[in-house]
């Protein structure tokens, strides 16, 4: 029995393999392929002034939400739940800045599954509603967009698109926005970390002069100088406790990966802003949590390996992945135009042991 166990263990593979970390070259290659380009386009550095059109934002956000849905499915019933109360730092016309003090809110042994921003939309006074209906009988909606605001050390700032959805002026009550990406970005900041800053803007829908004035009637509780009290903005953090659920496939963040580590999924953040080729080209996101598969797999006892020599050794590979939407700037007629592209297989959802990518017989899983 002992000899057999040894034989399984000694077959352990080196850490590199098909499950190895996503590289900068792979991301670039995938982007070029999706856009049918052979090289990185030469772009001018005027991206700051480049406005991402509403339909491009909406398409990007929809893809982002879909990849979240795929990521958090099946984990819904085993989550911890925490609520962080935030406040409006400042409100200017239709833009509000929200601040959440996040330090110590995410337990150390946990994985963020989802973060939901809840804002209380106040009912529109009846008189204002009647007036609006007279002027714009067919449009009662406005677009609410959330962006993560990052203030850099040199005082400059950058916003990243997080979620966007339509609200009606006939509704009131809690509105939910998915801000998981924002919390993920915040987690990558160097310590001591600034609070989580979310910029919420309410815009005309459809954008442009054809849209109604409904956006002027959307008000959130606690906004403005007299804010506070009922209906303060809230951030719900849904996390998985890795001590209980680490066995589901995530590596223990407190234990370094060694040759003896069993195949698991490890957090790996890819910082697109730090990549030279992405400058001026990739507008969103600033980075993403890709995860990687690390560790080794048990190998079958000799008789089995002898019977199926064509299978090769078992390796720790990404068995389920999701795609990553990005917004890139396309040069068209000398002008930059933002466009959404979906890059397949960028985020690892699950790692498993497999024979060179062959389907895995269930019983042999570690
Ligand atoms: C972000 O930067 C712009 C100019 O680049 C500035 O107008 C704006 O006030 C800044 N926002 C914050 C919240 O600091």
């Amino acid at each position: 029995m002992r000899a057999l166990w040894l034989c399984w263990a000694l077959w352990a593979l080196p850490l590199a393999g098909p499950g190895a970390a996503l590289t900068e070259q792979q991301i670039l290659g995938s982007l070029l392929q999706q856009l049918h380009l052979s090289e990185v386009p030469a772009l001018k550095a005027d991206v700051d002034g480049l406005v991402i059109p509403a339909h491009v934002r909406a398409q990007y956000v929809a893809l982002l939400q879909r990849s979240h849905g795929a990521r958090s499915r099946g984990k819904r019933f085993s989550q911890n739940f925490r609520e962080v109360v935030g406040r409006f730092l400042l409100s200017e016309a239709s833009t509000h800045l929200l601040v959440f003090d996040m330090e110590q809110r995410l337990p150390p042994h946990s994985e963020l599954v989802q973060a939901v921003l809840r804002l209380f939309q106040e009912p529109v006074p009846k008189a204002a509603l009647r007036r609006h209906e007279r002027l714009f009988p067919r449009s009662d909606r406005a677009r609410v967009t959330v962006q993560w605001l990052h203030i850099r050390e040199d005082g400059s700032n950058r916003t990243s698109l997080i979620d966007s959805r339509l609200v009606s002026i006939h509704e009131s009550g809690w509105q939910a926005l998915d801000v998981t990406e924002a919390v993920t970005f915040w987690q990558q900041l160097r310590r001591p970390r600034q609070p989580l800053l979310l910029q919420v803007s309410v815009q005309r829908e459809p954008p442009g002069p054809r849209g109604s004035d409904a956006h002027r009637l959307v008000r959130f509780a606690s906004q403005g100088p007299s804010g506070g009290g009922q209906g303060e903005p809230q951030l719900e953090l849904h996390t998985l406790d890795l001590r209980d659920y680490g066995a589901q496939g995530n590596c223990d963040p407190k234990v370094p990966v060694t040759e003896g580590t069993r195949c698991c999924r490890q957090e790996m953040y890819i910082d697109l802003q730090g990549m030279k080729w992405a400058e001026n080209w990739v507008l969103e996101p600033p980075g993403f949590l890709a995860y990687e598969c690390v560790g080794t797999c048990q190998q079958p006892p000799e008789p089995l390996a002898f019977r199926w020599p064509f299978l090769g050794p078992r390796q720790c590979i990404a068995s389920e992945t999701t795609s990553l939407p990005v917004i890139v700037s396309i040069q068209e007629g000398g002008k930059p135009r933002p466009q959404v592209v979906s890059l397949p297989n960028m985020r690892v959802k699950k790692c498993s042991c497999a024979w060179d990518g062959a389907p895995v017989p269930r019983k042999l899983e570690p």
Side-chain angles (χ1 to χ4, degrees), residues 15-291:
L15 298 184
L22 189 66
T23 64
E24 195 171 332
Q25 278 310 312
Q26 283 170 319
I27 301 167
L28 174 57
S30 174
L31 196 50
L32 290 172
Q33 192 187 1
Q34 294 300 316
L35 293 167
H36 308 290
L37 294 174
S38 55
E39 58 183 30
V40 178
L43 292 155
K44 287 190 221 88
D46 58 358
V47 280
D48 281 347
L50 187 61
V51 177
I52 298 174
H55 72 276
V56 175
R57 282 166 185 251
Q59 191 190 353
Y60 171 75
V61 166
L63 286 170
L64 204 60
Q65 305 306 322
R66 202 183 305 161
S67 89
H68 272 169
R71 240 194 312 165
S72 58
R73 212 181 301 133
K75 290 183 174 176
R76 293 201 177 278
F77 302 107
S78 47
Q79 294 170 18
N80 291 322
F81 171 84
R82 241 163 231 247
E83 213 167 69
V84 183
V85 174
R87 64 194 162 86
F88 284 92
L89 197 62
L90 54 101
S91 291
E92 234 171 40
S94 54
T95 303
H96 315 284
L97 189 58
L98 284 162
V99 55
F100 290 91
D101 185 9
M102 296 284 289
E103 230 30 270
Q104 329 250 302
R105 296 311 175 110
L106 285 162
H109 265 287
S110 71
E111 176 195 337
L112 179 72
V113 178
Q114 198 179 31
V116 180
L117 170 67
R118 290 195 186 278
L119 294 174
F120 193 88
Q121 186 187 343
E122 290 182 336
V124 177
K126 287 232 164 56
L129 211 51
R130 272 198 300 272
R131 187 170 167 274
H132 178 88
E133 277 168 352
R134 222 169 34 240
L135 292 172
F136 307 97
R138 270 187 303 277
S139 54
D140 62 349
R141 297 199 296 179
R143 179 167 289 280
V144 176
T145 298
V146 184
Q147 289 175 298
W148 176 58
L149 177 69
H150 176 208
I151 300 188
R152 300 195 188 94
E153 270 155 33
D154 65 2
S156 65
N157 67 60
R158 169 195 162 126
T159 53
S160 309
L161 181 57
I162 302 298
D163 196 4
S164 178
R165 66 186 51 201
L166 295 172
V167 298
S168 161
I169 50 170
H170 294 288
E171 297 167 19
S172 70
W174 292 102
Q175 295 287 356
L177 293 129
D178 185 337
V179 295
T180 315
E181 286 306 297
V183 178
T184 305
F185 296 149
W186 174 85
Q187 283 180 295
Q188 311 307 320
L189 295 178
R190 218 175 318 140
R191 287 163 206 260
R193 293 185 283 219
Q194 57 188 236
L196 175 72
L197 296 170
L198 298 175
Q199 195 169 295
V200 175
S201 44
V202 186
Q203 290 140 332
R204 204 186 278 275
E205 179 69 26
R210 284 190 312 120
S212 82
D213 265 357
H215 63 294
R216 292 186 198 278
L217 297 177
V218 175
R219 254 194 81 87
F220 298 114
S222 303
Q223 84 182 48
S226 59
Q230 291 288 300
E232 285 171 319
Q234 286 169 9
L235 187 65
E236 281 175 16
L237 299 171
H238 299 259
T239 57
L240 273 185
D241 191 329
L242 290 179
R243 281 167 306 191
D244 299 349
Y245 300 102
Q248 283 186 344
N250 285 310
C251 305
D252 184 340
K254 288 272 152 68
V255 179
V257 175
T258 64
E259 299 250 331
T261 304
R262 280 206 324 198
C263 179
C264 58
R265 190 180 78 140
Q266 189 172 48
E267 272 202 9
M268 178 180 67
Y269 182 78
I270 298 210
D271 182 13
L272 290 169
Q273 285 184 100
M275 297 178 181
K276 197 84 191 106
W277 55 265
E279 223 177 60
N280 304 332
W281 188 25
V282 178
L283 307 178
E284 297 283 355
F288 63 103
L289 207 47
Y291 294 97

